[in-house]
Amino acid sequence: MRVLVAGAGPTGLTAAVELARRGVEADVIDRREEGSSLSRAVGIMPRSLELLTPSGVSGRLLAEGMKFTKVRIYRENRLALALPLDVMSPRHGYAFLVGLAQDRTEGLLADAFNRFGGSVRYGTELTGLELRGDSVGVETSAGPSAYDYVIGADGVGSTTRRCLGIDFPGFDLPQTWSIADVDAQGWPNTDAFTLCQLARGQVAVVAPLEANRFRVVSNTEDALATLPLKLNTTNIRREGQFTISVRQVAEYGRDRVFLAGDAAHCHSPAGGRGMNLGIADAAELAERLVAGTLSGYSASRHVDGARTVSGSERVRRLVTSPNAMTRTVVFAGLKVVSAAPALQRRMAQQILYG
Ligand SMILES: Cc1cc2nc3c(=O)[nH]c(=O)nc-3n(C[C@H](O)[C@H](O)[C@H](O)COP(=O)(O)OP(=O)(O)OC[C@H]3O[C@@H](n4cnc5c(N)ncnc54)[C@H](O)[C@@H]3O)c2cc1C
């Protein structure tokens, strides 16, 4: 079976690894000249760890990443809730999140693909597709070829999606968000994901990436200036701004071509689900390709995607609400949760497993 994977982000690499461990060596292309150095998604969810266990990737993610066993929520600079994630029942394998910069997650996936005998062809761009019924004609910057199946894991601006003529309905959020990747000393909560809610619906989030390296994200134009807690920054590795779209395709492919990851859905970082949803798409697609059950792929992933996109939007609207009454209700709710172990378990379950 000849399979082309367009895009070597976390989704495309997961598809490649999951196919390779089942004996299908896909061709993987990416238009970048080399692997990414961007730390975008930093939270790896338990479900992703479970999916990446058979390939051996999870063991490496666990060895290299930080374990977040708590979520701390602040109102301005006052702690409103310290939620232990390990209040989950023991039947759940992972009662924590793993924090790791996305470029390292991609590096570990690429290493696994190499161990299975594959390698990514960088500097190669998908430019066109032709559906031929029994195969797919493919145009790339390296020339024409044909495949039995194509996986479009080429991100939010997907060429695969455009070639298939599939709409990407949804909307763009009006605000500019900001991100900073910094080295800092003395941050007390290295085992926690920290969320600060400020007046007028502003939020700032801190996630440890290494012992003294942190990611700060905010729905303002300056994440570091918005953070109301003291972070003794010694070096700013990267700062930037980004905008957010909330979109999902209605069909995850056509004929022998399938969409996965950001090519099929995108939403805000609230809930930290984007990369994890792409990993789940890719793992299911690889399994179905090998099992010959591709007809169920689109419907199955659409359900999971729609639930995740709407859940992320609910969280974003709640935590960024500028409405003073909503904020009062949120913090009253957190006070109740902090005194009720059963509610803590429920909230931890929601954060870890959705
Ligand atoms: C600032 C920020 C913070 C985020 N935080 C989180 C988080 O905490 N948790 C989380 O789960 N998610 C988070 N995300 C989202 C996460 O980064 C994405 O969901 C994830 O990268 C999607 O992976 P992907 O492989 O589908 O797409 P991408 O990572 O975009 O990879 C697509 C790849 O396809 C290649 N490509 C594109 N077009 C072509 C072409 N025509 N031919 C060949 N190759 C092509 C690109 O070069 C790229 O390498 C964040 C995103 C941002 C921007």
Side-chain angles (χ1 to χ4, degrees):
M1 174 162 46
R2 291 203 68 203
V3 181
L4 176 72
V5 179
T11 303
L13 289 167
T14 298
V17 168
E18 287 299 292
L19 285 169
R21 79 176 178 84
R22 294 177 170 91
V24 177
E25 195 182 296
D27 286 348
V28 183
I29 60 169
D30 198 294
R31 69 178 173 195
R32 287 188 314 234
E33 291 305 319
E34 56 186 16
S36 165
S37 60
L38 296 176
S39 67
R40 297 190 291 170
V42 299
I44 302 164
M45 297 287 162
R47 179 76 186 122
S48 298
L49 293 173
E50 288 163 6
L51 290 171
L52 296 172
T53 294
S55 62
V57 174
S58 289
R60 289 166 190 244
L61 292 169
L62 288 164
E64 198 172 315
M66 305 282 291
K67 276 187 194 165
F68 300 160
T69 54
K70 295 187 186 65
V71 171
R72 297 170 79 88
I73 303 177
Y74 287 78
R75 183 173 196 167
E76 307 283 343
N77 58 3
R78 289 191 316 279
L79 184 64
L81 175 68
L83 177 74
L85 296 174
D86 50 11
V87 291
M88 298 276 297
S89 78
R91 78 191 157 84
H92 288 103
Y94 300 105
F96 53 83
L97 304 171
V98 171
L100 189 64
Q102 184 171 320
D103 53 325
R104 285 306 307 144
T105 300
E106 292 174 12
L108 295 176
L109 284 164
D111 288 349
F113 186 42
N114 294 343
R115 278 198 305 281
F116 285 115
S119 67
V120 176
R121 247 190 295 142
Y122 285 106
T124 309
E125 180 169 6
L126 174 76
T127 53
L129 291 172
E130 186 195 350
L131 306 184
R132 297 174 180 162
D134 59 350
S135 68
V136 186
V138 170
E139 278 293 335
T140 73
S141 50
S145 47
Y147 287 88
D148 296 314
Y149 298 100
V150 172
I151 296 177
D154 45 356
V156 75
S158 173
T159 302
T160 311
R161 192 183 63 235
R162 183 172 50 72
C163 290
L164 293 177
I166 292 180
D167 282 346
F168 203 22
F171 54 93
D172 303 322
L173 297 179
Q175 298 133 315
T176 297
W177 290 52
S178 56
I179 185 165
D181 187 349
V182 302
D183 297 317
Q185 299 291 334
W187 180 256
N189 309 323
T190 50
D191 61 347
F193 187 86
T194 298
L195 167 72
C196 302
Q197 273 191 279
L198 298 106
R200 297 189 304 278
Q202 296 182 344
V203 291
V205 171
V206 182
L209 297 177
E210 295 166 21
N212 293 309
R213 180 182 171 195
F214 300 88
R215 146 69 58 78
V216 189
V217 178
S218 173
N219 62 341
T220 66
E221 292 185 4
D222 188 341
L224 289 175
T226 305
L227 183 67
L229 304 175
K230 181 111 188 87
L231 182 67
N232 291 316
T233 305
T234 53
N235 175 38
I236 298 176
R237 294 180 181 222
R238 195 186 286 268
E239 269 186 301
Q241 296 181 338
F242 59 103
T243 52
I244 290 170
S245 300
V246 180
R247 297 178 185 277
Q248 188 190 14
V249 293
E251 38 174 350
Y252 278 49
R254 215 164 260 174
D255 197 41
R256 293 170 165 261
V257 181
F258 299 89
L259 299 172
D262 279 17
H265 42 70
C266 57
H267 53 82
S268 86
R273 291 291 196 265
M275 177 180 73
N276 294 280
L277 190 57
I279 288 172
D281 291 344
E284 182 169 336
L285 182 52
E287 187 179 350
R288 285 180 176 275
L289 250 170
V290 174
T293 56
L294 283 165
S295 60
Y297 172 73
S298 183
S300 165
R301 293 318 303 158
H302 189 273
V303 169
D304 198 16
R307 193 165 41 83
T308 304
V309 172
S310 63
S312 166
E313 265 303 279
R314 263 197 310 279
V315 173
R316 183 193 65 78
R317 288 207 197 100
L318 200 62
V319 299
T320 64
S321 172
N323 183 305
M325 179 62 86
T326 305
R327 284 162 39 75
T328 303
V329 171
V330 166
F331 284 105
L334 292 180
K335 202 165 176 185
V336 173
V337 170
S338 65
L343 293 178
Q344 290 183 13
R345 275 195 295 280
R346 224 163 124 187
M347 193 167 165
Q349 159 90 33
Q350 188 63 33
I351 289 169
L352 290 169
Y353 283 90

